[in-house]
Amino acid sequence: MYGDPPLTFSNTLRTRGLREIGPVIPGLLLSSAVAIGAVTAARLLGAFAPIPAMVIALVIGIALNPLARRRSFQPGIVFCLKTILRWAVALLGLRIALGEIAALGVTTALLVVVAMIVTLAAGFLLARLFALERAYGALAGAGTAVCGASATLATSIVLPEYKEMDVAFVVVAVNALSTLAMVVYPLVCVWLGFDAQTAGIMLGATIHDVAQVVGAGYAVSETAGNTAVIVKLFRVFLMLPLVLAIGWLFARRAVATSAAKIPIPLFAIVFVALCVINSIAAPFPAAARMLAWIKLPLIEASTWGLLIAISALGLGTSLTAIAALGWRHFATVTGTTLVILAVVTAGLTMLR
């Protein structure tokens, strides 16, 4: 018609972009609103009950699940769980400097690696023992072995099929157990007679979430706290090979029956690249200052990306479905928690 904009290449791209982005906006806005509400609630509750914003976001999202079931919200929720989650995990690489990890020493590194492998294997074995799906064993094992919620979400990326309620349950369970560990594990270190350095290794190698590692470590001493954080960052660094190994295990069956290849996710490549960049720049003050201008907002973006993703996870999870998960699900996560504690404690006791 007369007066319509001319049909140009730029107009075509703009129209196609709006057509693709438009359906995503409602779910993205709802997930973002839940994340903002969770951060606000965490700050208000901080003086009384220090609950991580990720857990609050998950709970709020689950509470709003009846609203989120509307068809208009679904594309945005899927976008948060797929695209935003992948980039948020990739940006975690900026938190890690290989020089700090190298300072741990070969013995400590080997102990952490062995403990993580045994814990992941325990997740599969316990899931089989309790007649649960292998995917749940992978989620429980990875969440316990690496870093709680972030590792659980990252693992869900490489699983061909998983239940959102299983992911939500593992996130809640590992956080509850981490909070308990933050109080109990320092007492265990005192009972075992560990010095500050050994206590820091034990706390950083066994507690699931970073926040609880910080709380437990610095409750012992500054030395224990610094050591615990570095050990914890090493576990976060190992998230990449662990998640890829899980993806390979699940993809191997599909490859055996088809011509498909086992893919290497793009987020994994970006994770490694950012970790290397951060490590190369660290020894040079000028480069480190320049990188800081970029790194700080990207780390903040990663934090918000994980919050939005876990908000979307909650929005897609039914409280009724979670309540239907019996004692076997919790027993699996508890079992993997006890396994990593036993392996690390035994190893440190023998090395003293």
Side-chain angles (χ1 to χ4, degrees):
M1 291 181 60
Y2 182 76
D4 286 346
L7 186 61
T8 64
F9 181 69
S10 60
N11 284 337
T12 302
L13 285 179
R14 191 180 301 113
T15 303
R16 183 178 298 173
L18 290 173
R19 190 181 302 135
E20 293 177 355
I21 295 173
V24 169
I25 292 176
L28 176 60
L29 289 177
L30 181 59
S31 300
S32 301
V34 171
I36 293 170
V39 171
T40 304
R43 289 173 181 170
L44 293 174
L45 294 172
F48 309 99
I51 303 174
M54 273 197 175
V55 175
I56 297 175
L58 183 62
V59 172
I60 295 175
I62 292 172
L64 295 177
N65 173 257
L67 171 66
R69 289 179 187 174
R70 296 181 181 180
R71 184 176 299 177
S72 59
F73 292 120
Q74 294 306 305
I77 290 174
V78 172
F79 175 78
C80 293
L81 287 171
K82 300 294 183 182
T83 305
I84 290 181
L85 174 58
R86 283 172 166 81
W87 285 107
V89 171
L91 291 174
L92 287 175
L94 286 170
R95 301 172 186 245
I96 300 166
L98 296 178
E100 294 179 342
I101 293 173
L104 292 174
V106 176
T107 303
T108 299
L110 284 175
L111 176 60
V112 173
V113 170
V114 169
M116 292 175 65
I117 292 172
V118 173
T119 302
L120 179 61
F124 285 114
L125 290 174
L126 288 169
R128 183 174 182 179
L129 176 64
F130 294 128
L132 300 173
E133 295 179 358
R134 292 176 72 244
Y136 184 80
L139 292 168
T144 305
V146 186
C147 54
S150 299
T152 306
L153 291 171
T155 302
S156 70
I157 295 174
V158 299
L159 294 178
E161 293 183 7
Y162 68 91
K163 297 177 181 177
E164 292 179 349
M165 60 182 177
D166 285 346
V167 180
F169 186 89
V170 172
V171 169
V172 172
V174 295
N175 182 264
L177 291 168
S178 289
T179 302
L180 179 63
M182 181 178 64
V183 177
V184 174
Y185 286 10
L187 300 176
V188 174
C189 291
V190 173
W191 178 66
L192 292 172
F194 287 166
D195 58 28
Q197 182 82 7
T198 306
I201 295 172
M202 188 269 209
L203 297 172
T206 56
I207 299 178
H208 312 323
D209 289 326
V210 176
Q212 283 87 341
V213 168
V214 171
Y218 287 104
V220 175
S221 70
E222 184 175 350
T223 300
N226 293 339
T227 304
V229 170
I230 295 172
V231 173
K232 184 61 184 176
L233 288 177
F234 180 47
R235 289 169 68 193
V236 175
F237 174 73
L238 292 176
M239 176 176 66
L240 172 65
L242 194 76
V243 168
L244 290 179
I246 292 170
W248 179 81
L249 286 172
F250 279 84
R252 188 176 58 174
R253 293 183 176 181
V255 171
T257 56
S258 68
K261 295 182 179 180
I262 298 174
I264 298 178
L266 177 61
F267 82 89
I269 299 173
V270 176
F271 179 95
V272 172
L274 292 177
C275 181
V276 171
I277 291 171
N278 191 41
S279 302
I280 292 174
F284 305 100
R289 284 194 298 270
M290 291 181 61
L291 181 61
W293 286 95
I294 304 172
K295 185 168 73 171
L296 292 177
L298 288 178
I299 288 176
E300 187 70 13
S302 174
T303 300
W304 278 101
L306 289 172
L307 276 169
I308 291 171
I310 206 165
S311 298
L313 175 66
L315 290 168
T317 303
S318 167
L319 183 61
T320 305
I322 289 183
L325 298 177
W327 62 270
R328 296 176 299 167
H329 288 75
F330 186 73
T332 301
V333 181
T334 303
T336 54
T337 299
L338 292 175
V339 166
I340 196 169
L341 174 63
V343 173
V344 171
T345 303
L348 291 174
T349 301
M350 290 189 299
L351 292 172
R352 277 200 299 172

